[in-house]
Amino acid sequence: MERMKNLFRSVALVAVVFLSSQYVNAQQKIGHINADDVFQMTPEFKTANDQLKTLNDTKTKELQGMYEEYQKKQNDANEKLRNRSEANKTAVDAELQTLGQELQNIEQRIQEVQRVAQEELGKKQQELLAPIQTKVMNAINAVAKEKGYAYVLDTSNGSVIYFQGGEDISAEVKSKLGIPANAVPATPAVPATK
């Protein structure tokens, strides 16, 4: 009989703990937001995106010029090779060797310009996008505090597999950032590096 009482008390205690934890959990508000969409709707993002696109276009044109120079020298070398004969073999071989060295130098310059361009784009992207990211996070935090949310899930990063319920706080965050309700996210000019 004593054993039954202890078992009953244990079951009752577990039930009380379970029910009280359910009550506490029911009191916590959960919100969600697609932070990437809100981020891309900010006016600052459009400005930064335009600057990044301009820089990317400039670097692409620079590289395109180098590729054209490389292609021209490659065509010159192929033409010389086609016109090579026993009579001009020595002179053409010397010219081909010079062109080969020039092609190799252009290849090295292209690789260096690509590396520097990637570094510049990465730095500029970080410089322009980090303050926007901070501003959006501050707005999300402010809305969460104002509305009393215990948790805000970011549905944009793919780590939230399923959610039902909770409140979408996107409208409040966009309002706090001065983004029109009907705004749509802009497409990034260059891939984001986070």
Side-chain angles (χ1 to χ4, degrees), residues 122-169:
K123 286 178 184 175
K124 190 68 166 176
Q125 190 174 26
Q126 179 64 26
E127 172 190 318
L128 294 172
L129 300 183
I132 303 167
Q133 194 170 22
T134 300
K135 181 179 177 180
V136 170
M137 289 307 299
N138 288 342
I140 292 170
N141 290 338
V143 168
K145 286 178 186 173
E146 289 169 10
K147 300 288 185 171
Y149 291 106
Y151 301 96
V152 175
L153 306 174
D154 185 357
T155 59
S156 64
N157 62 16
S159 63
V160 177
I161 297 170
Y162 175 81
F163 71 94
Q164 182 174 354
E167 293 180 42
D168 186 351
I169 65 169

